[in-house]
Amino acid sequence: MSSADASFTDRTMVISGASRGIGLAIAVGAARRGANVVLLAKTAEPHPKLAGTVHTAVAEIEAAGGKAVPVVGDVRREEDVQRAVDTAVEHFGGVDICVNNASAIATEPTEQLSAKKFDLMQQINIRGTFLLTRACLPHLRKSAAGHVLTISPPLNMNPHWLGAHPSYTLSKYGMTLLSLGWANEYTAERGGAHIGFSCLWPQTYIATAAVTNLADGQDLVKRSRSPEIMADAAVEILSRPPAEVNGNCYIDADVLTAAGITDLTRYGGGDDPIIDIFVDLS
């Protein structure tokens, strides 16, 4: 089934870190097809440099046709994660989709990277992915088509990427390794026939606040695609049968091309968009 034909009516998504950017775009993309969304995010009040809060995100999701409930909390805190999942069950009766979107990035060289930033990346990226997925699993087991989508890259062992920012790479690869591990842990033989574990990563830079706030952010944004390309790719993946996507790591452009969307200019980025980290074109 193509995402253009998919209905998400009566399907409930729990997503982390979706106040803005890629996470919000995915939530809105699912909402356009009727999804219920529970957002777990820390941003309750406006940030001076970052547009959007969990409350403005809910307003956008509802304007797109879905139903949404905000949960202000930290994906690193077990009790906050459980509260988000409990909220989904209380308001919508269960969980059908878990999206591990929350992430921290620090790419300083090893000798300049603080232990605090190292810990933050491992805790948000790996621990947060573990906590949210674990809390959703009892409900995903009951879903007719459960999905866990993690925003993390394919395991590219190119020495260039391994040496570019080892600590950040560790945290993002850790997210992917968890997804691949769960894909095998929850096979049909082990009671996970209705859960599909997959990863999604952008082929190019995405025009988010993380890019805009860089020193040359305005120039970078011109060569970055919009978050909607990730949203459309995510919806396409989540529209497929869980068994079809289970254990796969996808690149957004490849997902859309396979779905028949060959003209990606609608997403911006110009004629020469910047290829994202962890992506080798050859």
Side-chain angles (χ1 to χ4, degrees):
M1 178 186 295
S2 168
S3 63
D5 303 317
S7 172
F8 280 53
T9 302
D10 296 327
R11 296 181 70 186
T12 298
M13 170 187 291
V14 177
I15 181 169
S16 62
S19 294
R20 60 184 70 87
I22 291 171
L24 176 57
I26 291 173
V28 169
R32 288 196 183 105
R33 292 156 178 82
N36 309 312
V37 183
V38 173
L39 299 92
L40 173 63
K42 292 176 62 178
T43 312
E45 302 295 333
H47 188 282
K49 293 184 178 181
L50 300 173
T53 69
V54 68
H55 303 295
T56 60
V58 164
E60 286 192 47
I61 291 166
E62 292 180 339
K67 298 177 182 178
V69 180
V71 175
V72 178
D74 189 331
V75 74
R76 295 171 293 176
R77 290 172 54 87
E78 190 171 2
E79 54 270 38
D80 289 355
V81 169
Q82 189 60 55
R83 183 159 47 87
V85 174
D86 290 345
T87 297
V89 174
E90 177 184 350
H91 281 78
F92 305 118
V95 178
D96 302 286
I97 301 167
C98 169
V99 179
N100 294 301
N101 170 72
S103 190
I105 179 172
T107 58
E108 293 96 319
T110 299
E111 292 178 74
Q112 299 174 23
L113 182 70
S114 68
K116 182 178 181 179
K117 286 185 177 180
F118 177 90
D119 288 344
L120 183 68
M121 287 190 289
Q122 313 312 318
Q123 290 169 3
I124 292 178
N125 300 359
I126 299 177
R127 175 183 169 88
T129 295
F130 166 75
L131 289 178
L132 186 60
T133 304
R134 186 185 65 171
C136 287
L137 275 168
H139 307 287
L140 291 168
R141 284 178 175 275
K142 301 174 185 177
S143 173
H147 281 269
V148 177
L149 180 65
T150 299
I151 308 305
S152 62
L155 295 179
N156 184 344
M157 305 308 272
N158 183 332
H160 172 75
W161 298 121
L162 291 174
H165 29 61
S167 297
Y168 176 61
T169 298
L170 171 67
S171 69
K172 296 305 293 187
Y173 281 10
M175 295 170 72
T176 301
L177 283 169
L178 281 173
S179 182
L180 295 176
W182 288 323
N184 286 279
E185 182 180 12
Y186 290 91
T187 57
E189 294 79 9
R190 295 172 177 171
H194 300 298
I195 306 175
F197 296 90
S198 59
C199 299
L200 176 64
W201 193 247
Q203 182 187 65
T204 69
Y205 274 29
I206 300 296
T208 63
V211 173
T212 304
N213 289 332
L214 294 173
D216 51 351
Q218 293 306 315
D219 291 331
L220 295 176
V221 165
K222 294 176 183 178
R223 296 180 59 199
S224 301
R225 289 175 177 157
S226 70
E228 281 66 36
I229 189 171
M230 285 289 282
D232 289 350
V235 168
E236 176 66 33
I237 292 167
L238 297 171
S239 300
R240 297 175 181 173
E244 180 180 325
V245 305
N246 192 47
N248 289 320
C249 296
Y250 296 99
I251 298 296
D252 57 358
D254 295 340
V255 172
L256 297 180
T257 299
I261 303 172
T262 56
D263 181 7
L264 303 181
T265 59
R266 70 178 77 175
Y267 302 110
D271 296 330
D272 185 28
I274 303 169
I275 300 303
D276 207 351
I277 59 178
F278 305 120
V279 177
D280 291 337
L281 293 183
S282 59

